[in-house]
Amino acid sequence: MATKGYWRVVTVVVLSLWTLGTAHAQQAGDASAGAPDSDEYYKKVIKNYLTSNWAPLAADLKAFPRFSSKLTPEQRKDIVYIRTTAPEHRPGWWTNCKKTSNISFGAKIWNRQFTANYMPTEELGAQAPVGVRQGKLMVIVTWKPGMVDSPTKIDGWLAKRHNLTHGDLADAIVWHELGHNYISISLPLNHVIELYQNHLLLYFHVQEFYADMTALYHAGPKGRIATMLIRSASLHVNKAEEPHTRAAYGIGSLILAHVLDDPTKWPSFSFPAEIPTEDVERNTILYMYDNLSPDWTLQEDKQLRQLVKQFIMTKGDAVLRTRGEIALPNRLAFRLMTSEDRELQTKRGEWVTKALKKLIEDGKIKPAESNKKPEGERIDIPF
Ligand SMILES: [Zn+2]
């Protein structure tokens, strides 16, 4: 039965187990900074990047040497960042993701090279282990090729607010499915099998955690927004044992801990003017996602990528070693297994309450644009 709104296939199927341009930092050039044409150029590049508008962005970036000396140092830094980052979202092998027949291709996540065995499908997205080759688990990844880079809009009030397209969703899905290779390319086969055979629920939870963390880092800015928001409906109904939802809650907890540590760095997030009466952390994460401003900034997008990267590089493997513990920047933790998280959840709730209270007392709560929650589905997943 098709369960609308979910990458449901994954849990069902998983049963067997672009170079830094030469930035001419010419001091003399700064005198002409703010020239109308270079300001226009800068705004266009930022907008095309944040809207994952890849083809026009590539053309803009080719024109960089013409504008470089007229940009302010800050503007130049941003464009150089985008010049480095855009090819990471759309690597050379990306065209394979739109193929309508089976293909194996070399892909890379987290600087780790592996072979992606792709099979097109009409399903939204899935992955499945299919065998062992050279001591590594072979995994098949699958998604709907017609959705990749498709400009077709998605319905639902949250999707409309962020102008999400099938292509944005596919950006999140492709990187998510590829992210399912994290465990098999990180761990020796016997460890993967041991985890699968003896700790199945934990295996599913950590799989979904690494998959969404991969999408949050590797997808383009709109794919990143889609990755955050796509789980909000299931987070709302609190499907606590469902692996995608549980992983999304853990990642939400990580993002919230960073944002509440210094909300001034995150102008697109707003918080409730009253402390939620129950389940304070989960409801605050949900409020944060439901009220995310469509004016998401380059700075925030960079920060989010950076915090995800920092986590994976320094604590990524520890999530596996500790049987599903996500260490938070506030020295608290989130455990993916709900049965082991009760006490920690209470402590995190107290921390969030304290942080919200301080924001309210300091008059720093930026009210969301509307208190009225729109009617209908948040994101109408095309399925
Ligand atoms: Zn998954």
Side-chain angles (χ1 to χ4, degrees), residues 7 10 127 176-177 180 207-208 211 231 244:
W7 310 359
V10 180
Q127 62 90 29
H176 172 100
E177 302 308 344
H180 270 292
Q207 276 277 7
E208 298 309 330
R231 317 284 185 202
H244 297 85

Side-chain angles (χ1 to χ4, degrees), residues 88-363:
E88 292 175 17
H89 303 315
R90 285 295 178 275
W93 47 261
W94 185 260
T95 48
N96 292 312
C97 302
K98 301 184 214 181
K99 294 261 163 74
T100 52
S101 53
N102 296 357
I103 187 171
S104 292
F105 55 93
K108 213 189 228 181
I109 55 167
W110 303 112
N111 278 328
R112 291 169 184 172
Q113 188 80 29
F114 66 100
T115 301
N117 303 296
Y118 160 74
M119 198 174 79
T121 179
E122 282 307 302
E123 299 279 8
L124 203 55
Q127 62 90 29
V130 287
V132 174
R133 189 181 287 170
Q134 293 175 332
K136 291 277 176 197
L137 192 66
M138 258 185 80
V139 171
I140 278 189
V141 288
T142 181
W143 50 77
K144 211 171 176 174
M147 274 181 69
V148 180
D149 293 333
S150 161
T152 306
K153 302 271 196 294
I154 297 176
D155 281 335
W157 60 266
L158 196 51
K160 281 183 173 167
R161 185 190 294 157
H162 293 278
N163 203 19
L164 294 179
T165 64
H166 285 203
D168 299 327
L169 191 58
D171 199 6
I173 291 172
V174 169
W175 286 110
H176 172 100
E177 302 308 344
L178 294 173
H180 270 292
N181 287 273
Y182 184 96
I183 290 181
S184 51
I185 58 181
S186 306
L187 286 181
L189 183 64
N190 58 337
H191 289 201
V192 181
I193 292 174
E194 203 273 330
L195 188 62
Y196 177 78
Q197 285 178 337
N198 301 325
H199 310 281
L200 190 61
L201 190 57
L202 175 67
Y203 174 84
F204 284 143
H205 283 5
V206 289
Q207 276 277 7
E208 298 309 330
F209 174 76
Y210 289 125
D212 263 5
M213 287 292 272
T214 301
L216 272 182
Y217 179 75
H218 284 283
K222 281 187 73 197
R224 207 163 356 268
I225 298 283
T227 304
M228 275 193 285
L229 304 184
I230 203 90
R231 317 284 185 202
S232 49
S234 62
L235 209 53
H236 178 71
V237 295
N238 196 16
K239 295 182 181 172
E241 299 288 339
E242 194 282 311
H244 297 85
T245 312
R246 188 65 192 161
Y249 187 179
I251 293 172
S253 179
L254 179 65
I255 296 175
L256 179 65
H258 277 275
V259 175
L260 277 181
D261 181 53
D262 188 355
T264 58
K265 288 184 179 165
W266 301 89
S268 299
F269 287 118
S270 46
F271 297 99
E274 284 171 21
I275 294 162
T277 50
E278 58 181 38
D279 224 346
V280 60
E281 183 194 40
R282 185 174 59 84
N283 281 312
T284 305
I285 295 168
L286 195 60
Y287 186 97
M288 191 170 77
Y289 289 162
D290 276 356
N291 294 285
L292 179 65
S293 165
D295 300 324
W296 180 245
T297 63
L298 178 67
Q299 194 55 35
E300 290 170 288
D301 193 67
K302 278 170 79 171
Q303 285 165 189
L304 179 55
R305 267 192 105 219
Q306 184 55 34
L307 80 84
V308 168
K309 181 182 184 178
Q310 194 192 1
F311 183 92
I312 290 293
M313 294 302 167
T314 61
K315 297 167 186 162
D317 291 350
V319 176
L320 271 167
R321 282 200 310 271
T322 57
R323 294 174 35 84
E325 182 168 301
I326 303 169
L328 304 178
N330 53 14
R331 294 172 187 265
L332 297 175
F334 183 102
R335 289 199 72 93
L336 285 164
M337 300 296 285
T338 45
S339 56
E340 300 167 8
D341 190 53
R342 299 213 169 92
E343 212 173 298
L344 292 170
Q345 187 186 358
T346 305
K347 285 186 181 158
R348 293 195 310 273
E350 287 165 3
W351 185 84
V352 173
T353 301
K354 209 172 146 194
L356 286 178
K357 247 183 198 157
K358 185 161 178 10
L359 281 178
I360 294 165
E361 281 165 13
D362 293 352

